[in-house]
Amino acid sequence: MAVMRIVCVSDTHGYHRELEMPPGDLLIHAGDITRKGELETVEDFDRWLGSLNHLYRHKVVICGNHDFCFQEQPHAARSRITNAVYLEDVAVVIDGLNVYGSPWQPWFGGWAFNLARGPEIAAVWAKIPAGTDVLVTHGPPAGILDRTSRGEPAGCKDLFDRVWEVRPFLHVFGHIHEAAGRSDIDGVTFVNASSFRGQGGPVVVEWDA
């Protein structure tokens, strides 16, 4: 049985080149590529992804609440990602692994990809298909690696509920830098891969293919 090494990062905010990247088969970036949605940062990020081709056969990217350009200039921003698969409420199959990505999170200041808690954001999570093996969201589920530095829970209850309906083997997210880490709960591995300037990620998860 082959083992797939999945390398998870998030919240690089333009400091992607400072990361020491371990080798693997699949690289996942869970959003906040930029500081304030700068297209030039997206361009440099994509060049960096290209420089990692010798480390990873596959790369998957979503955006996050700092990545305004993907919401305000979607064609311009998406067209700059050429060295990874960009996911926004869609799935891709990679070596038999069903990977679904979504950038949304409950309202968080005046940032990008915000939705109101309750029915509005629950409708987005309802799109996560059954049979998803790896779920990539920018924000965390409620109560799991979601505490801010002030001890406040920032995760989404509706996302938490959908995760347990779908039961992916891996849920990768970021957003709350200070809650970076890994938690294995009842057959699901949760990774807050926040990697801002060396905090947290990269995190490596192995999957028996």
Side-chain angles (χ1 to χ4, degrees):
M1 182 177 290
V3 175
M4 177 181 282
R5 282 173 55 88
I6 303 171
V7 178
C8 310
V9 297
S10 184
D11 296 80
T12 48
H13 293 290
Y15 295 99
H16 39 269
R17 294 186 182 275
E18 295 185 3
L19 294 178
E20 294 185 12
M21 299 300 297
D25 301 295
L26 169 61
L27 172 63
I28 294 175
H29 191 292
D32 277 2
I33 297 163
T34 69
R35 289 178 286 277
K36 294 183 180 179
E38 309 88 352
L39 286 172
E40 58 270 26
T41 301
V42 179
E43 292 172 358
D44 186 68
F45 175 75
D46 187 66
R47 288 191 292 271
W48 174 72
L49 290 176
S51 76
L52 303 178
N53 286 344
H54 66 292
L55 292 178
Y56 310 106
R57 293 182 294 120
H58 307 285
K59 302 184 232 40
V60 168
V61 172
I62 69 167
C63 58
N65 61 294
H66 280 253
D67 300 324
F68 287 101
C69 54
F70 284 87
Q71 190 167 38
E72 297 172 353
Q73 305 173 69
H75 176 74
R78 294 182 189 189
S79 67
R80 283 166 167 78
I81 300 293
T82 64
N83 288 298
V85 176
Y86 173 74
L87 299 180
E88 188 175 313
D89 300 316
V90 293
V92 65
V93 179
I94 296 175
D95 288 349
L97 200 64
N98 294 304
V99 183
Y100 184 89
S102 180
W104 303 93
Q105 70 271 311
W107 191 266
F108 193 81
W111 299 94
F113 294 101
N114 282 338
L115 290 173
R117 293 180 184 270
E120 188 175 22
I121 201 164
V124 169
W125 305 138
K127 298 176 184 178
I128 301 169
T132 295
D133 299 305
V134 177
L135 174 62
V136 188
T137 62
H138 182 58
I144 301 176
L145 303 172
D146 73 332
R147 293 271 174 177
T148 69
S149 58
R150 292 174 292 191
E152 300 168 342
C156 179
K157 176 62 165 58
D158 291 297
L159 176 57
F160 176 91
D161 292 343
R162 186 60 178 158
V163 168
W164 291 114
E165 291 171 355
V166 174
R167 299 190 69 87
F169 89 85
L170 174 62
H171 182 192
V172 184
F173 49 90
H175 191 40
I176 308 303
H177 299 184
E178 55 268 44
R182 170 176 174 164
S183 184
D184 295 275
I185 305 172
D186 196 18
V188 179
T189 296
F190 296 90
V191 173
N192 180 331
S194 295
S195 311
F196 181 64
R197 310 211 76 174
Q199 179 180 21
V203 175
V204 178
V205 177
E206 294 189 343
W207 178 64
D208 292 327

